[in-house]
Amino acid sequence: MRKRTHEYAFYHEKNDFPFGALAVLHHDMLQGESKSIDQIAAAVELIILSFDLLDDWQDQDNDRPPWMNDEGQALTIENGCLIMALSVLYRHLGKQSQSLQQLLQFISRSIQGQFSDLEDKPLNEDDYLRMIQQKSGSLTAVACLAGALCSGHLLPDDLDRIEHYAVAIGVNAQLQNDLDDVLHFDGKNDLLQRKHTLATMYLLDHPSENGKKLKRYYDHLLSKEQLLSEKASIEAWINASGVVFYTNAMKAMQQTRAEKYIDQLPIDAQNKQKIKKYLDQI
């Protein structure tokens, strides 16, 4: 099991551990001096790994990660990663019982959001945003708040501000993933999986002939082979459809909201810029 876990962690490392980096950033920007921050950051990444693993197994749309080849062990390792991470958080933040409870609430919200996503029901724009606030935004909040709590200098008003912009960061990351997963048919593609995301719903509502074609595919009136027979022309249409502009507009709204809360934090301009830079890179 240890060998498999190391393999999973090595694959996960390809993403450069952005959630752990967020935890460290929030610890440092609040002038934290805890020797536990590296362990807290590692625990955060274990939580993310466990959620990624579960998400891939539920969706069955990405066969690249090594855990997709380990049907017998993957979910056991997922449980082990989550339990290990929670034990680390308890060991280092357990004296702040209320703070630890807040982190557990965000983890619980993300699980609920993941369950709603698994149902894959057609949603309107507001309902979908609420779902990814739960699923993705809550995990980003866990990363930011874990580092901030570890600093020992987090005030209640600051906690609320961090929560708001952290959720926005997670939402923007999910919106970008959703966009990436419709632009090309090679590899992972949400359209081929008939998933309902903000990007796919935009394309399904498109009044063009290709929009109607996608709707027929979702209604099982068109086969995958028939759809892929026009792959090049449909990909070109998707890129010109306005879905990129639409997604970027939604992300800009989230970014504006996030920056309002970032600017209210009692930290220096350099640290504020670091958070905004992280947001800009999504």
Side-chain angles (χ1 to χ4, degrees), residues 19 22 47-48 51-52 55 106-117 128-144 163-178 278 282:
F19 290 87
L22 270 178
I47 292 171
I48 302 304
F51 275 78
D52 283 350
D55 192 52
F106 278 111
I107 293 172
S108 178
R109 286 183 203 173
S110 185
I111 292 172
Q112 180 58 48
Q114 197 157 28
F115 177 79
S116 298
D117 186 36
Y128 184 77
L129 286 173
R130 276 191 288 271
M131 186 271 289
I132 61 174
Q133 283 172 354
Q134 282 190 314
K135 177 187 174 184
S136 305
S138 294
L139 285 181
T140 313
V142 168
C144 296
E163 174 188 339
H164 276 89
Y165 72 69
V167 168
I169 291 173
V171 167
N172 270 9
Q174 185 63 57
L175 290 176
Q176 186 59 49
N177 285 343
D178 291 346
Y278 192 98
I282 296 173

Side-chain angles (χ1 to χ4, degrees), residues 263-277:
D263 286 335
Q264 292 174 7
L265 281 176
I267 59 176
D268 60 47
Q270 183 177 5
N271 278 312
K272 288 179 182 178
Q273 193 55 42
K274 286 180 181 179
I275 305 172
K276 291 179 180 179
K277 182 179 180 181

Side-chain angles (χ1 to χ4, degrees), residues 7-22 44-53 55-56 62 64-67 173 177 180 278 281-282:
E7 289 177 6
Y8 294 1
F10 181 76
Y11 181 87
H12 183 65
E13 186 182 5
K14 293 179 180 179
N15 294 323
D16 295 326
F17 300 136
F19 290 87
L22 270 178
V44 166
E45 285 293 346
L46 278 176
I47 292 171
I48 302 304
L49 173 58
S50 69
F51 275 78
D52 283 350
L53 193 157
D55 192 52
D56 284 339
N62 183 12
R64 287 173 293 182
W67 47 81
N177 285 343
D180 293 341
Y278 192 98
Q281 291 173 342
I282 296 173

Side-chain angles (χ1 to χ4, degrees), residues 55-188:
D55 192 52
D56 284 339
W57 264 100
Q58 288 175 335
D59 289 345
Q60 291 292 314
D61 61 356
N62 183 12
D63 58 4
R64 287 173 293 182
W67 47 81
M68 296 306 293
N69 301 315
D70 290 337
E71 184 175 0
Q73 298 181 1
L75 296 183
T76 300
I77 293 174
E78 181 270 334
N79 288 331
C81 287
L82 187 56
I83 291 170
M84 189 186 309
L86 293 177
S87 68
V88 171
L89 293 179
Y90 181 79
R91 185 162 67 248
H92 296 292
L93 299 176
K95 293 181 180 178
Q96 308 177 53
S97 58
Q98 186 175 358
S99 300
L100 184 60
Q101 183 63 34
Q102 288 168 325
L103 290 180
L104 294 177
Q105 286 175 353
F106 278 111
I107 293 172
S108 178
R109 286 183 203 173
S110 185
I111 292 172
Q112 180 58 48
Q114 197 157 28
F115 177 79
S116 298
D117 186 36
L118 186 61
E119 291 183 306
D120 197 30
K121 296 177 180 178
L123 301 172
N124 60 37
E125 187 177 276
D126 290 339
D127 287 340
Y128 184 77
L129 286 173
R130 276 191 288 271
M131 186 271 289
I132 61 174
Q133 283 172 354
Q134 282 190 314
K135 177 187 174 184
S136 305
S138 294
L139 285 181
T140 313
V142 168
C144 296
L145 291 174
L149 291 167
C150 185
S151 75
H153 300 146
L154 182 62
L155 300 176
D157 287 346
D158 296 337
L159 187 150
D160 185 64
R161 292 171 184 133
I162 292 173
E163 174 188 339
H164 276 89
Y165 72 69
V167 168
I169 291 173
V171 167
N172 270 9
Q174 185 63 57
L175 290 176
Q176 186 59 49
N177 285 343
D178 291 346
L179 177 62
D180 293 341
D181 287 346
V182 299
L183 295 179
H184 303 286
F185 284 127
D186 295 326
K188 186 170 178 278

Side-chain angles (χ1 to χ4, degrees), residues 206-252:
H206 203 280
S208 67
E209 184 57 38
N210 279 319
K212 295 174 184 176
K213 194 172 296 181
L214 286 178
K215 185 70 168 60
R216 290 199 298 274
Y217 175 72
Y218 268 63
D219 290 338
H220 297 273
L221 300 175
L222 196 70
S223 71
K224 181 185 291 188
E225 290 73 21
Q226 288 173 306
L227 190 69
L228 288 176
S229 69
E230 302 179 52
K231 182 176 75 169
S233 62
I234 293 178
E235 283 184 348
W237 166 74
I238 289 171
N239 280 274
S241 68
V243 68
V244 174
F245 178 82
Y246 170 68
T247 301
N248 287 337
M250 297 299 296
K251 288 172 58 182

